[in-house]
Amino acid sequence: MNLVLVANGILTRLGSDTGTGGLRNASSPLVTGIFSYMAPEGQAYPYIVFGFTGAANEDTFERDVIRYQVDIAVLVTRDTGGLTRASQIIDRIYGNANANGNVPTYGLHRHKLLINPDLTTWVSSTLRRIDQIEAHDLEHFQFIERYEFLCTNEP
């Protein structure tokens, strides 16, 4: 499994939230950027950084299966909207599946990543949020949303 394809699927999904109130809305985006593993030095707040914290093989007799866990960190300064801005960002990452018949138009919860554009090999299960962690310091709030999903190869 190509981890770049999985990371690109997450970047694409979060980055395509351009509607009203969206993470990347053209007129008033909630975040200044979305990055895998590390934001550039000097990146303006608020922003999102994500990274994979687990990739366990759970192969069956017929298919390869990988259970991924990804941590999505929301970083805001205490003086740039603080908890209100962080809550808005977390809500957009989670998405609207509950209000939309379990078919989200934005967000990750209950979304299936498009990880292989031609759909010939690997496919994703539905993502689900499994944990929320906080790691604040004196100047910043950092909320970490943990999601889990399976990827399997199709014969």
Side-chain angles (χ1 to χ4, degrees), residues 13-15 17 20-25 28-35 44-50 72-77 80-96 106-109 129 132 141-145 147:
R13 179 63 175 182
L14 294 176
D17 182 15
T20 303
L23 295 171
R24 303 300 293 153
N25 177 275
S28 57
L30 286 176
V31 296
T32 62
I34 301 167
F35 308 98
Y45 291 90
Y47 60 85
I48 295 170
V49 176
F50 73 90
I72 302 168
V74 175
L75 295 101
V76 300
T77 59
T80 57
L83 292 175
T84 300
R85 177 59 66 95
S87 180
Q88 292 168 335
I89 296 167
I90 290 166
D91 287 347
R92 294 304 289 202
I93 293 169
Y94 185 82
N96 66 344
Y106 63 88
L108 295 178
H109 189 66
R129 184 171 63 188
Q132 295 175 296
F141 291 119
Q142 180 175 238
F143 296 92
I144 302 167
E145 302 285 295
Y147 284 80

Side-chain angles (χ1 to χ4, degrees), residues 104-148:
T105 59
Y106 63 88
L108 295 178
H109 189 66
R110 298 195 178 112
H111 172 68
K112 288 187 178 184
L113 289 178
L114 179 59
I115 55 172
N116 193 4
D118 63 8
L119 297 176
T120 58
T121 53
W122 289 86
V123 296
S124 166
S125 71
T126 302
L127 280 85
R128 64 185 186 115
R129 184 171 63 188
I130 61 170
D131 203 0
Q132 295 175 296
I133 306 162
E134 298 180 16
H136 312 305
D137 63 31
L138 293 175
E139 297 177 3
H140 306 92
F141 291 119
Q142 180 175 238
F143 296 92
I144 302 167
E145 302 285 295
R146 181 166 290 160
Y147 284 80
E148 180 178 73

Side-chain angles (χ1 to χ4, degrees), residues 6-15 50 52 70 72 108 113 149:
V6 180
N8 285 342
I10 292 170
L11 280 171
T12 298
R13 179 63 175 182
L14 294 176
F50 73 90
F52 297 94
V70 59
I72 302 168
L108 295 178
L113 289 178
F149 59 100

